Amino acid sequence: MARKTRLFLSAFFTGRPNLSAACQLAENRPLRFSASSGAFLLRRTFSAARAAVAGMFLLGSSLSAAHAEGPAYRTHLPGVGPEDPRQRVDTTQMPWSAIGRVQTELGSRCTGFLISPVLVETAAHCLWLSPTARFIRPTSVHFLRAYSGDHYIAHARVVRVMIPPGYTTAEEARTAGLDHATLVLDHPVAKPDDVFHVTAGPADIAPGTPIMLGGYEQNQPDIITADLACHITGLSQDLGGHTLFTHDCAGTHGSSGAPVLTQTQGGWQVLGVQVQASTQQAGGRAVPLLNSPSAQQ
């Protein structure tokens, strides 16, 4: 049964009466919003090693932008082209009902999706705390399944986080292909038929494959908006040799951790985890999510 979420956001995390605004704070990433310039700026300068990912943004949201409606921050949306194809989708129906908001008690948020009744996949950089230079405690992370407006289907707290060894936000150019995390929930939030099953192999990650991308994005953070007609455009590697794939789906800050989906005869198939957005056009990069750990290297 759907439950009211605003009360949850204001009282559940810390018991204080006005945390709803705090829960809109930006993901703790090396990006910040400048109110004076209306642009996202890098906190630190790209080194030569980062040149490989210059032109891509890690995906987060800011407090100011999170309160915007529709096109209010339209000119500041990396990963969305001049023609915005994103549209609201129905979170009561698959595949969108298997997606939810990854929310921390510090106010940061991203998108995540169920790969079992108790496992959520998201982007690892969503869990990084820049001020303390470490990942957030698992128990400070919550998953709101099919969050939409002021309702959600289910809520669970995270009890364990699994991140690939070697991933570090300090060396994004070298480890971007490891930028995903598996969250273990404290109880099941779905039936086995209501989650994504990881079945993709390397051959499924092919240029031209029709895909979809939807998540909780900067200018519409309380609903899922999705690009329903986009494609894989190519394969790439980070400087450490880890594989990513590029796509032309419109998706901006807040869509980190969203599933890149395709529809097959057997149903919905998740191909990867959204992690970066282009600064120049619609599109970004995703980490493949394959059914063989060795195939994912």
Side-chain angles (χ1 to χ4, degrees):
M1 180 181 296
R3 291 170 286 175
K4 292 289 183 180
T5 308
R6 290 195 176 111
L7 178 60
F8 167 82
L9 292 177
S10 63
F12 182 84
F13 287 145
T14 65
R16 295 189 301 182
N18 188 23
L19 272 184
S20 58
C23 289
Q24 304 298 322
L25 288 173
E27 179 181 77
N28 291 301
R29 298 294 307 126
L31 292 171
R32 60 181 173 86
F33 185 78
S34 168
S36 60
S37 65
F40 279 86
L41 306 175
L42 289 175
R43 279 183 182 166
R44 51 184 184 261
T45 305
F46 280 109
S47 65
R50 293 179 178 221
V53 291
M56 289 282 178
F57 266 125
L58 290 169
L59 300 168
S61 299
S62 78
L63 175 60
S64 299
H67 289 291
E69 293 293 335
Y73 279 80
R74 181 65 191 82
T75 59
H76 308 300
L77 298 180
V80 179
E83 300 295 330
D84 188 349
R86 297 173 301 161
Q87 57 186 278
R88 183 172 184 171
V89 293
D90 184 357
T91 56
T92 68
Q93 302 294 323
M94 281 292 283
W96 316 112
S97 60
I99 298 174
R101 200 155 85 171
V102 176
Q103 184 88 43
T104 79
E105 292 174 5
L106 297 178
S108 60
R109 66 173 186 272
C110 275
T111 303
F113 57 96
L114 291 163
I115 57 172
S116 94
V118 293
L119 296 178
V120 172
E121 201 73 12
T122 190
H125 73 254
C126 294
L127 309 175
W128 180 253
L129 300 176
S130 294
T132 58
R134 64 181 183 180
F135 290 102
I136 193 169
R137 291 182 307 161
T139 54
S140 295
V141 183
H142 300 254
F143 180 70
L144 305 177
R145 179 188 166 201
Y147 173 74
S148 183
D150 59 356
H151 292 80
Y152 54 90
I153 291 177
H155 157 256
R157 186 186 290 268
V158 174
V159 295
R160 184 183 177 194
V161 174
M162 294 177 283
I163 296 172
Y167 175 72
T168 171
T169 61
E171 297 183 79
E172 206 63 56
R174 185 178 63 82
T175 65
L178 301 175
D179 185 1
H180 65 102
T182 304
L183 314 180
V184 182
L185 305 179
D186 63 357
H187 67 273
V189 295
K191 297 178 180 179
D193 290 341
D194 296 331
V195 305
F196 299 115
H197 301 285
V198 181
T199 60
D204 295 311
I205 312 296
T209 300
I211 55 176
M212 300 180 184
L213 175 70
Y216 297 94
E217 305 197 30
Q218 169 181 309
N219 62 328
Q220 297 285 358
D222 296 321
I223 61 173
I224 296 177
T225 54
D227 186 341
L228 304 178
C230 44
H231 300 82
I232 293 176
T233 56
L235 299 175
S236 65
Q237 290 186 331
D238 62 26
L239 296 184
H242 310 108
T243 300
L244 299 98
F245 63 86
T246 57
H247 60 77
D248 60 5
C249 300
T252 191
H253 300 279
S255 67
S256 272
V260 178
L261 300 170
T262 192
Q263 193 164 23
T264 69
Q265 291 183 344
W268 293 102
Q269 184 179 54
V270 57
L271 299 181
V273 182
Q274 167 83 336
V275 295
Q276 295 177 341
S278 171
T279 60
Q280 303 297 325
Q281 59 193 8
R285 295 207 296 180
V287 176
L289 191 62
L290 306 179
N291 61 1
S292 168
S294 60
Q296 202 152 321
Q297 301 300 318

